[in-house]
């Protein structure tokens, strides 16, 4: 019984929070460095210029990681947020969610079998100041997430 418990627990303990730096690719980028400061009262404000949307920022991870989970603080409850991984010149969608949990954390599993060192976050449109105030990325350099179940087709 103990051996089974330890085997089931190991994958949970084999990944952790990844530190990162950020860079704006569109939008004003006010306080972009505050996305990972541990304070939900600060965060990225992409600006009021509609032409800058979708606002985009790059998240540079410390090295290549399998991404297991993405957690973010949904400050304004709108619009949509998307996370992409860059694998060379290929852009891979990792997570796309509507921001609908006004001033609450959202946490989502990511099941992608590719390592990434560069991520991109996009805010779809201008529906509130500082729509996301914290982003936490969790992953592992050695253990890939469990692949999603194979869909059953009839």
């Amino acid at each position: 019984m103990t051996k089974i418990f330890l085997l089931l627990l190991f994958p949970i303990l084999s990944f952790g929070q990844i530190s990162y730096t950020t860079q704006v690719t569109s939008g004003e980028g006010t306080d972009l460095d505050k996305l990972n400061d541990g304070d939900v009262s600060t965060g990225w404000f992409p600006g009021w210029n509609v032409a800058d949307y979708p606002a985009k920022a790059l998240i540079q991870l410390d090295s290549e990681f399998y991404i297991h989970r993405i957690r973010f603080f949904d400050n304004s409850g709108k619009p949509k947020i998307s996370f992409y991984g860059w694998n060379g010149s290929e852009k891979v969608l990792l997570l796309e969610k509507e921001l609908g949990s006004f001033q609450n954390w959202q946490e989502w599993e990511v099941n992608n079998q590719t390592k990434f060192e560069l991520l991109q976050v996009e805010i779809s449109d201008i529906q509130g100041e500082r729509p996301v105030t914290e982003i936490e990325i969790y992953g592992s350099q050695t253990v890939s997430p469990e692949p999603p179940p194979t869909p059953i087709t009839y």
Side-chain angles (χ1 to χ4, degrees):
M1 185 77 160
T2 303
K3 289 181 183 178
I4 293 172
F5 176 73
L6 291 175
L7 289 174
L8 292 174
L9 187 59
F10 177 74
I12 295 170
L13 298 175
S14 61
F15 68 94
Q17 188 171 353
I18 303 167
S19 60
Y20 63 85
T21 57
T22 54
Q23 173 188 347
V24 173
T25 57
S26 72
E28 294 176 12
T30 305
D31 295 330
L32 186 61
D33 59 334
K34 304 287 187 187
L35 280 176
N36 61 347
D37 67 352
D39 183 356
V40 297
S41 68
T42 64
W44 177 33
F45 176 49
W48 294 114
N49 186 353
V50 176
D52 287 338
Y53 287 83
K56 301 174 187 172
L58 295 177
I59 295 176
Q60 180 69 52
L61 306 178
D62 288 343
S63 66
E64 287 190 334
F65 286 89
Y66 292 107
I67 307 303
H68 290 250
R69 191 166 31 125
I70 297 175
R71 184 173 187 249
F72 55 87
F73 191 80
D74 180 350
N75 190 50
S76 65
K78 44 188 164 179
K80 181 172 64 178
I81 189 169
S82 304
F83 292 89
Y84 297 90
W86 283 95
N87 187 8
S89 62
E90 182 185 9
K91 184 177 170 181
V92 178
L93 179 64
L94 298 176
L95 181 69
E96 187 169 74
K97 293 293 173 186
E98 294 292 328
L99 298 175
S101 302
F102 177 70
Q103 294 198 336
N104 280 296
W105 284 98
Q106 289 196 41
E107 186 169 331
W108 300 95
E109 300 243 348
V110 176
N111 292 317
N112 193 292
Q113 303 300 301
T114 306
K115 280 185 167 182
F116 298 102
E117 189 172 359
L118 185 64
L119 304 180
Q120 181 175 307
V121 60
E122 291 185 8
I123 304 293
S124 63
D125 57 64
I126 185 170
Q127 292 189 20
E129 187 173 342
R130 289 184 172 77
V132 173
T133 57
E134 283 292 307
I135 295 176
E136 297 174 355
I137 309 291
Y138 294 85
S140 170
Q141 291 181 308
T142 57
V143 179
S144 64
E146 291 294 319
T150 306
I152 298 173
T153 57
Y154 298 95

